[in-house]
Amino acid sequence: MIDKKNKLYRITGIVCFLGLLWLGLIHYSEADATVCPIKLATGYPCPSCGSSRSILAFLKGDFRDAIMINPLGIVSLIIIICIILLLLIDIVFKKDLYYRTYSYVEQFLKTNKLISILLILLILANWIWNIKKGL
């Protein structure tokens, strides 16, 4: 369990750091180029296309634009903040709250197939919306 836990913490920490670095680069960059491999290969946006711009709009207080660009960006921001807080709590207080929360959510989604299906359908609906609005 320790190796699985350590691996989860390392990967999550790296992904959060890279995500925050990416947001910083986008915020201070003048470039408006896409890096989405799906959009570059097919010309169609992926379900998460626009999430970075959505998060930045949200952080600037432009909530309507954030939702219109991609609501998944706001959901992603909330998840990222929660993960970072849980990781910091675990590091500072030497707990395993993040690992237990992650394990609980993973088990919950495995045992509640209807919730998992609804989440997948919401992501698909968001993808269709991204395509329709020409993101």
Side-chain angles (χ1 to χ4, degrees):
M1 179 177 109
I2 301 272
D3 289 335
K4 185 177 175 183
K5 179 181 163 187
N6 288 339
K7 184 177 180 180
L8 175 67
Y9 278 63
R10 277 193 306 271
I11 290 171
T12 303
I14 290 168
V15 168
C16 285
F17 173 77
L18 291 174
L20 292 173
L21 181 65
W22 174 251
L23 284 174
L25 290 172
I26 294 288
H27 178 69
Y28 292 107
S29 170
E30 297 297 321
D32 195 24
T34 185
V35 294
C36 176
I38 293 173
K39 190 169 185 177
L40 290 173
T42 67
Y44 294 104
C46 74
S48 66
C49 273
S51 290
S52 298
R53 287 179 285 140
S54 174
I55 291 171
L56 291 174
F58 186 84
L59 293 175
K60 291 177 185 173
D62 199 348
F63 306 120
R64 184 187 178 286
D65 275 358
I67 291 170
M68 295 306 291
I69 293 169
N70 193 336
L72 288 181
I74 297 168
V75 173
S76 299
L77 178 63
I78 292 167
I79 291 170
I80 290 167
I81 290 169
C82 289
I83 288 172
I84 290 171
L85 288 174
L86 289 173
L87 285 172
L88 288 173
I89 289 168
D90 286 358
I91 290 168
V92 171
F93 297 107
K94 302 202 183 313
K95 301 283 185 185
D96 65 348
L97 187 58
Y98 174 64
Y99 182 75
R100 287 186 288 129
T101 303
Y102 177 86
S103 298
Y104 172 80
V105 170
E106 183 180 41
Q107 189 60 37
F108 178 82
L109 292 174
K110 283 180 182 177
T111 57
N112 294 286
K113 300 291 186 200
L114 182 60
I115 301 290
S116 298
I117 291 169
L118 288 174
L119 290 172
I120 291 168
L121 289 175
L122 281 172
I123 291 171
L124 287 174
N126 189 70
W127 193 2
I128 292 167
W129 187 51
N130 278 351
I131 293 169
K132 285 278 202 193
K133 66 182 177 184
L135 187 62

